[in-house]
Amino acid sequence: MSSCIFCRLVEGGIPAKIVYQDEQALAFEDRNAQAPVHLLVIPKRHVASVQDCQERDQALLGHLLLTCSKVARMKNLAESGYRVVTNTGTDGGQTVFHLHFHVLGGRHMAWPPG
Ligand code: AMP
Ligand code: ZN
């Protein structure tokens, strides 16, 4: 069994409220939602962060962002807007070291972030 919590989630070892998946990507509800809609979009293949992506991951990164817009549309956020965030490394506030994009919506997002 993988030591990475999101790899375990992909393997079905821990439960998740999955809203969308395809060959490369999985989208599920964040267990500690920070907005009325808070989804995480992850690659099924382990990549630690955006900083660990290589040239070969270019298509995967594009696919993950398109998946963010797809699930945002599914959650009726296309008109009202939403935020896509990928926290990277310690100063970026990353706590799970498997690449993930937060999709946050359903309320107004402040700027700058904390
Ligand atoms: P980050 O701090 O950017 O690395 O985000 C990690 C996110 O993963 C947090 O928002 C957590 O609430 C979320 N999270 C961690 N474990 C799980 C899980 N098993 N199911 C759903 N969300 C999770
Ligand atoms: Zn992983």
Side-chain angles (χ1 to χ4, degrees):
M1 192 195 283
S2 173
S3 62
C4 168
I5 189 169
F6 286 176
C7 282
R8 287 220 298 277
L9 208 144
V10 169
E11 291 158 6
I14 54 172
K17 289 183 181 160
I18 294 169
V19 299
Y20 173 82
Q21 64 178 313
D22 58 30
E23 225 171 77
Q24 297 181 83
L26 183 69
F28 54 95
E29 291 181 9
D30 194 297
R31 70 174 174 193
N32 184 22
Q34 301 300 315
V37 177
H38 187 172
L39 304 176
L40 298 174
V41 174
I42 70 170
K44 286 187 169 176
R45 172 167 64 81
H46 183 88
V47 184
S49 77
V50 82
Q51 195 57 36
D52 291 277
C53 287
Q54 312 285 327
E55 205 62 36
R56 69 182 178 125
D57 300 315
Q58 190 169 331
L60 175 65
L61 287 168
H63 181 75
L64 292 170
L65 276 178
L66 287 172
T67 303
C68 290
S69 68
K70 183 176 287 196
V71 295
R73 201 174 308 114
M74 285 168 61
K75 292 288 180 180
N76 294 316
L77 299 176
E79 292 278 310
S80 53
Y82 55 94
R83 184 167 293 174
V84 177
V85 176
T86 184
N87 297 324
T88 305
T90 308
D91 276 1
Q94 185 174 8
T95 60
V96 176
F97 287 83
H98 179 128
L99 176 64
H100 51 282
F101 291 91
H102 297 259
V103 178
L104 297 140
R107 67 168 172 83
H108 183 76
M109 298 293 150
W111 192 265

